Amino acid sequence: MAEQLEQAEQEFFEHYLGYLQTVEEGIGSVACFYREGFEENGDRLLNQMLDGFDAMSSGSMTMDYLFAQKAGLKGEMETFHEKMEEAKTIPSLSGPEEKMQALTAGFTPAFQRWKVFVENMAAG
């Protein structure tokens, strides 16, 4: 049973890290859209990426078990999810400069910090 759980955890981390990598690449695309004046495209991509996290929210039993209980990262997980909720308001901001500021100064650092935690956990 413990071996199956470890295998399932490893598979979860592989999928989650893959998603984080996709989001990291997507953040660059969103920033490019905003810089080039394609706000609607940037907003749409940002919303799609953030919506993808819904199944892996801090309320998820898997996330709670792996990060809060097992690794003691409940505070970090909650902080990241708060920043993610704030990022969902970026499309409603007025203008590409304000959106870029919120993306690069607000969400991206929190995202990068969370990604490092996840990578460290996955590495064991």
Side-chain angles (χ1 to χ4, degrees):
M1 175 86 167
E3 193 172 301
Q4 286 178 328
L5 187 56
E6 284 183 24
Q7 178 66 28
E9 289 174 14
Q10 198 57 42
E11 288 176 14
F12 174 83
F13 279 120
E14 287 174 20
H15 291 289
Y16 192 57
L17 282 169
Y19 187 69
L20 292 178
Q21 182 62 40
T22 300
V23 170
E24 185 171 44
E25 294 165 5
I27 289 170
S29 296
V30 170
C32 185
F33 282 136
Y34 288 158
R35 241 189 337 270
E36 299 297 320
F38 299 104
E39 283 183 69
E40 286 182 26
N41 293 342
D43 293 345
R44 189 173 23 259
L45 179 56
L46 180 62
N47 283 329
Q48 288 171 345
M49 290 185 315
L50 296 174
D51 286 348
F53 279 106
D54 286 348
M56 299 171 273
S57 70
S58 56
S60 153
M61 287 177 45
T62 302
M63 294 292 284
D64 186 58
Y65 171 74
L66 291 175
F67 296 104
Q69 295 175 18
K70 192 170 182 180
L73 294 174
K74 185 174 182 77
E76 292 295 338
M77 182 176 65
E78 289 174 352
T79 298
F80 171 65
H81 286 280
E82 286 170 13
K83 289 294 185 183
M84 204 168 37
E85 289 302 314
E86 288 174 18
K88 289 180 179 182
T89 67
I90 291 173
S92 67
L93 298 175
S94 60
E97 295 84 15
E98 193 174 352
K99 292 177 182 186
M100 276 292 287
Q101 175 68 20
L103 181 70
T104 58
F107 179 67
T108 302
F111 172 82
Q112 293 296 338
R113 180 176 169 91
W114 179 246
K115 186 172 182 253
V116 168
F117 281 118
V118 175
E119 289 169 340
N120 289 336
M121 284 202 54

